[in-house]
């Protein structure tokens, strides 16, 4: 694994050089927003590497909130009448600069959903393949960060092509994949660092950052409880009591992937869109007959937590569908906290580890 | 791999009223590109997304049988946005279908078995597909006794009436057609609710006898206890579920019952399987 040293004075120059082959995406403030989100950078724009975490995750880079799937005409005089056409989109290489390690780990979870042995979502997969993820290690985790207990962490390399570590005057760049190496080359950052010394410095910073994370979740017992026992647990009304089903938690979440498909016509032309959706909304599961299998807010809140902390765990046997970024905890208007719900679920019922007396 | 969201273009070949009250219509589609028909190779029990540009898509069970070539058929109840628009479309119109989607009835397991089909109302579409499939001369020897219990509120609401009456004449299938009630003095078949007729006519439980049950929730609710009393084990009771759907390929996340997705892991499940899910359908 290659270690490269990037002097901060070469930072913007390198980014600009890489624009010849890459479109750049990074955290920036946009008008009307109090905190940075991930956007495609304009020509002379550079990512805000000092920004605190973004309100919305970086998932929109591969999975936009609204995306055109097809265009169509309903004009009977056109030979293309009622035929859906996927419009050409720009899938040229894009580099995602400054993505947080937990957001990159989350993108690998989305991949489980969108890139399967049976079907591939071409919109998601094409965008994903176009991306090189140049992550920034988190030195000062927020008070709601619990990523270390979810299999990610402030210095996690999962899903990244390059991990940058901020060393004040320079970055140490740990090049993790061929895609990452190609980006470093395009940016002209090629000065090798003393690998051993760099690894030690990174390890030290990593330990320090991890030590700053004060909260955690345990889900070690959830896998051995039955879906039905957890589903019927007595705490769901209490958990959902103050929830207003606003859906914020699902929108800010890097691992929530549910979507809706809608047609929108203007005159005789139109678009079939894919839009983020939320299990917190009654319409999500409403049948045409008026029947709704998840007709109450308790059922919807339970669906969100059961999906993340139980169904996903059982289906993939690869941890929970949460990277511990803490965004939903920070953004929920009524302070519903997934850490508490996870704890309730983990502790519910007889302890599978307890010795029989 | 092809774009799983892109429908095959099809032309409406024929639209017929499926029930006397016209709340259901049967659509026959022909593929614009013959090679698409091959790609759309399906088994009885699967469904497709019918796509109407400008309105959206609806999941509909495939009512034709894989043994019927040259067209695919669907029977659609008028409910809301897409289904109402579809009811106003006519032969010659171009639209799209994508699929086949979901699993099918477990045909490999069902070979060599007695089959009891129990249907109610308009949930008879994939059951028709199954019956036509099993009655095909090449397939009939693969199954033992076939019983069909099918009911609707009145005779005019029975789907595929002509075929039902034809099957009634055959000796290789036991038909038990029923209606809740009728004022037709010439009605030759049963009168009574599906669960009652099931109690009277369904064959005794046996390790080689499988029931396939599709119908409105109320029918299912009262039919399952009857089958249990008759001794049918839960892994020999097969059901097909409906949930609101969009993608139909297991990605959009809305149709789940616990960790199973109705669109991809279903729509066909045994009662034994459903017992382990929260049954949110
Ligand atoms: C596997 C399966 C097989 C089905 N087979 C048949 C059939 O053979 N014949 C038939 O008439 N109906 C069938 N249905 C039900 C049919 O899909 C709905 O009645 C239809 O989607 C209603 O669409 P709408 O636009 O008219 O209603 P609206 O209420 O306007 O619905 C808007 C959208 O919501 C979704 N939606 C609403 N209700 C349902 C529902 N019950 N199931 C799935 N998606 C829904 C659809 O995307 C629909 O376009 C089936 C459903 C499933 C899941
Ligand atoms: S953000 Fe909070 S209130 Fe809003 S839907 Fe999520 S849990 Fe409920
Ligand atoms: S559930 Fe909450 S803490 Fe977990 S990944 Fe989603 S937003 Fe972050
Ligand atoms: S319909 Fe999208 S996941 Fe089942």
């Amino acid at each position: 694994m290659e270690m490269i040293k990037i002097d901060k004075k070469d930072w913007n120059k390198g980014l600009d050089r890489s624009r010849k082959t890459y479109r750049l995406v990074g955290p920036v403030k946009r008008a009307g927003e109090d905190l940075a989100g991930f956007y495609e950078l304009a020509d002379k724009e550079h990512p805000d590497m000092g920004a605190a975490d973004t309100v919305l995750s970086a998932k929109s880079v591969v999975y936009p909130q609204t995306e055109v799937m097809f265009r169509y005409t309903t004009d009977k005089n056109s030979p293309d009448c009622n035929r859906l056409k996927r419009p050409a989109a720009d899938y040229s290489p894009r580099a995602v600069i400054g993505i947080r390690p937990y957001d990159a780990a989350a993108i690998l979870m989305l991949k489980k959903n969108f890139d399967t042995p049976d079907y591939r979502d071409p919109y998601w997969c094409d965008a994903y393949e176009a991306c090189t993820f140049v992550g920034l290690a988190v030195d000062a985790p927020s008070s709601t960060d619990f990523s270390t207990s979810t299999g990610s962490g402030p210095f996690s390399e999962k899903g990244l092509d390059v991990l940058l570590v901020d060393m004040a005057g320079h970055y140490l760049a740990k090049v993790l994949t061929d895609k990452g190496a190609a980006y470093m080359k395009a940016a002209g950052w090629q000065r090798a660092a003393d690998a051993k010394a760099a690894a030690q410095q990174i390890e030290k910073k990593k330990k320090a950052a991890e030590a700053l994370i004060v909260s955690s979740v345990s889900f070690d017992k959830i896998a051995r409880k039955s879906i039905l026992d957890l589903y019927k647990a007595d705490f769901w009304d209490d958990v959902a009591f103050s929830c207003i089903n606003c859906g914020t938690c699902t929108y800010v979440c890097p691992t929530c992937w549910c979507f809706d498909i809608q047609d929108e016509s203007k005159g005789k032309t139109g678009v079939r869109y894919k839009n983020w959706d939320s299990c917190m909304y009654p319409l999500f599961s409403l049948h045409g007959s008026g029947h709704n299998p998840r007709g109450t807010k308790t059922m919807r809140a339970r669906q969100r937590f059961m999906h993340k902390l139980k169904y996903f765990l059982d289906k993939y046997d690869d941890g929970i569908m949460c990277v511990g970024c803490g965004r939903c905890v920070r953004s929920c208007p009524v302070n519903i906290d997934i850490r508490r719900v996870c704890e309730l679920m983990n502790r519910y019922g007889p302890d599978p580890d307890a010795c029989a007396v | 791999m092809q774009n799983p969201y892109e429908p095959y273009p099809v032309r409406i070949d024929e639209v017929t009223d499926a029930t006397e009250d016209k709340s259901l219509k049967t659509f026959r589609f022909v593929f614009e590109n013959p090679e698409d028909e091959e790609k759309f190779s399906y088994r009885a029990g699967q469904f497709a997304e019918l796509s109407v540009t400008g309105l959206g898509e609806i999941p509909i069970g495939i009512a034709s049988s894989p043994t019927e070539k040259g067209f695919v058929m669907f029977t659609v109840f008028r409910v809301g946005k897409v289904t109402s628009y579809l009811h106003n479309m006519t032969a010659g119109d171009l639209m799209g279908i994508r699929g086949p989607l979901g699993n099918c009835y477990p045909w490999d397991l069902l070979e060599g078995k007695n089959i009891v089909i129990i249907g109610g109302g308009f949930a008879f579409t994939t059951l028709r597909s199954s019956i036509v499939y099993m009655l095909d001369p090449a397939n009939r020897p693969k199954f033992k006794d076939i019983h069909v219990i099918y009911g609707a509120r009145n005779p005019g609401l029975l789907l595929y009436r002509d075929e039902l009456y034809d099957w009634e004449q055959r000796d290789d299938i036991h038909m038990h057609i029923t209606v809740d009630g009728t004022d037709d003095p010439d009605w030759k078949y049963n009168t009574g609710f599906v669960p009652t007729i099931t109690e009277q006519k369904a064959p005794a439980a046996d390790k080689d006898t499988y029931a396939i049950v599709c119908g409105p929730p109320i029918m299912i609710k009262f039919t399952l206890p009857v089958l249990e009393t008759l001794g049918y084990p839960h892994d020999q009771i097969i059901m097909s579920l409906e949930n609101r759907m969009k993608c139909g390929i297991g990605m959009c996340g809305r149709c789940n019952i616990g960790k199973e997705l109705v669109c991809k892991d279903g729509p066909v499940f045994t009662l034994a399987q459903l017992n382990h899910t929260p049954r949110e359908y």
Side-chain angles (χ1 to χ4, degrees), chain A residues 242-250 280 304 328 331-334 336:
Chain A
S242 55
C243 175
I244 55 170
N245 272 186
C246 64
T248 302
C249 47
T250 57
M280 286 299 192
R304 172 171 168 248
C328 59
S331 292
C332 175
V334 298
I336 290 174

Side-chain angles (χ1 to χ4, degrees), chain A residues 82 121 231 259 263 286 294, chain B residues 5 32 53-54 244 254 280:
Chain A
N82 288 348
D121 180 312
Y231 184 86
F259 62 89
D263 285 12
L286 180 71
R294 288 195 282 269
Chain B
Y5 298 105
E32 277 248 294
T53 41
R244 187 185 178 100
R254 80 196 52 238
E280 285 183 335

Side-chain angles (χ1 to χ4, degrees), chain A residues 229-285:
Chain A
D229 284 347
L230 288 169
Y231 184 86
K232 291 179 184 151
D234 53 10
F235 50 71
W236 292 116
D237 276 325
D238 174 51
V239 164
F241 177 72
S242 55
C243 175
I244 55 170
N245 272 186
C246 64
T248 302
C249 47
T250 57
Y251 275 49
V252 298
C253 179
T255 71
C256 274
W257 63 54
C258 293
F259 62 89
D260 189 20
I261 299 174
Q262 287 290 336
D263 285 12
E264 197 174 276
S265 303
K266 270 200 192 108
K268 286 188 173 151
T269 58
V271 176
R272 179 163 291 171
Y273 289 108
K274 190 168 144 200
N275 297 319
W276 290 356
D277 204 343
S278 171
C279 58
M280 286 299 192
Y281 301 152
L283 251 184
F284 189 65
S285 51

Side-chain angles (χ1 to χ4, degrees), chain A residues 286-289, chain B residues 24 47 56-61 75-77 79-84 122 125 241-246 267:
Chain A
L286 180 71
H287 290 203
S289 62
Chain B
L24 284 117
F47 70 99
E57 296 184 308
I58 47 169
I60 301 289
T75 300
V76 179
F77 182 54
V79 185
K81 213 173 59 170
V82 181
T83 51
S84 302
F122 58 80
T125 55
L241 303 189
E242 281 186 18
N243 250 352
R244 187 185 178 100
M245 291 183 182
K246 286 288 174 174

Side-chain angles (χ1 to χ4, degrees), chain B residues 245-248 250-255 261 263:
Chain B
M245 291 183 182
K246 286 288 174 174
C247 71
M251 289 182 182
C252 78
R254 80 196 52 238
C255 69
L261 294 157
C263 69

Side-chain angles (χ1 to χ4, degrees), chain A residues 5-299:
Chain A
K5 183 175 172 185
I6 308 168
D7 261 321
K8 287 214 175 149
K9 64 177 173 28
D10 294 332
W11 175 247
N12 283 352
K13 265 188 278 177
L15 289 176
D16 291 337
R17 198 174 298 129
S18 74
R19 290 182 209 261
K20 274 195 211 88
T21 18
Y22 292 84
R23 295 152 64 198
L24 299 188
V25 179
V28 274
K29 277 197 180 103
R30 284 280 150 92
E33 282 183 21
D34 39 349
L35 251 184
F38 276 81
Y39 297 101
E40 180 157 358
L41 304 178
D43 238 357
K44 295 201 171 76
E45 198 173 29
H46 295 106
D48 183 350
M49 298 296 276
D53 195 10
T54 51
V55 176
L56 290 172
S57 79
K59 76 176 166 189
S60 55
V61 176
V62 275
Y63 178 32
Q65 183 164 358
T66 282
E67 184 164 23
V68 176
M69 304 176 82
F70 300 103
R71 293 189 183 281
Y72 57 77
T73 168
T74 50
D75 183 352
K76 295 235 162 155
N77 298 319
S78 159
D80 284 334
C81 178
N82 288 348
R83 286 174 212 272
L84 295 160
K85 305 266 180 209
R86 180 181 176 187
D90 187 351
Y91 292 113
S92 57
R94 58 182 94 154
V96 188
I97 312 291
I99 184 174
R100 300 300 187 274
Y102 44 66
D103 278 359
I107 286 174
L108 289 185
M109 288 186 193
L110 299 192
K111 193 166 188 292
K112 288 185 195 296
N113 187 58
F114 290 113
D115 187 359
T116 75
D118 301 317
Y119 299 105
R120 293 181 87 228
D121 180 312
Y123 308 94
W124 195 93
C125 291
D126 289 352
Y128 174 76
E129 274 156 19
C131 285
T132 301
F133 298 100
V134 182
L136 176 64
V138 177
D139 288 331
S142 76
S143 63
T144 52
D145 186 326
F146 55 101
S147 56
T148 35
S149 55
T150 62
S152 172
F155 279 57
S156 163
E157 297 168 6
K158 274 189 196 166
L160 287 176
D161 297 299
V162 177
L163 177 71
L164 298 172
V165 179
D166 190 339
M167 307 300 294
H170 64 275
Y171 290 112
L172 279 176
K174 195 167 174 182
V175 183
L176 303 165
T177 64
D178 291 347
K179 261 184 161 180
Y183 181 77
M184 299 305 279
K185 199 167 168 219
W189 296 322
Q190 297 286 285
R191 181 147 63 102
D194 173 345
K196 207 167 147 211
Q200 278 168 356
Q201 285 172 315
I202 293 176
E203 194 51 33
K204 202 169 144 216
K205 290 204 73 169
K206 178 178 170 185
K207 288 233 164 68
E210 285 177 354
L212 290 173
I213 292 183
V214 288
S215 69
S216 65
V217 288
S218 346
F219 47 88
D220 54 313
K221 299 184 168 58
I222 295 181
R224 283 167 290 158
K225 298 181 198 233
S226 88
I227 285 182
L228 282 183
D229 284 347
L230 288 169
Y231 184 86
K232 291 179 184 151
D234 53 10
F235 50 71
W236 292 116
D237 276 325
D238 174 51
V239 164
F241 177 72
S242 55
C243 175
I244 55 170
N245 272 186
C246 64
T248 302
C249 47
T250 57
Y251 275 49
V252 298
C253 179
T255 71
C256 274
W257 63 54
C258 293
F259 62 89
D260 189 20
I261 299 174
Q262 287 290 336
D263 285 12
E264 197 174 276
S265 303
K266 270 200 192 108
K268 286 188 173 151
T269 58
V271 176
R272 179 163 291 171
Y273 289 108
K274 190 168 144 200
N275 297 319
W276 290 356
D277 204 343
S278 171
C279 58
M280 286 299 192
Y281 301 152
L283 251 184
F284 189 65
S285 51
L286 180 71
H287 290 203
S289 62
H291 167 66
N292 195 338
R294 288 195 282 269
T296 65
K297 74 169 177 181
T298 297
M299 298 181 94

Side-chain angles (χ1 to χ4, degrees), chain B residues 95-108:
Chain B
M95 51 179 282
I97 69 175
R98 73 188 166 87
L101 302 169
N103 63 358
C104 57
Y105 296 116
W107 293 112
D108 298 335

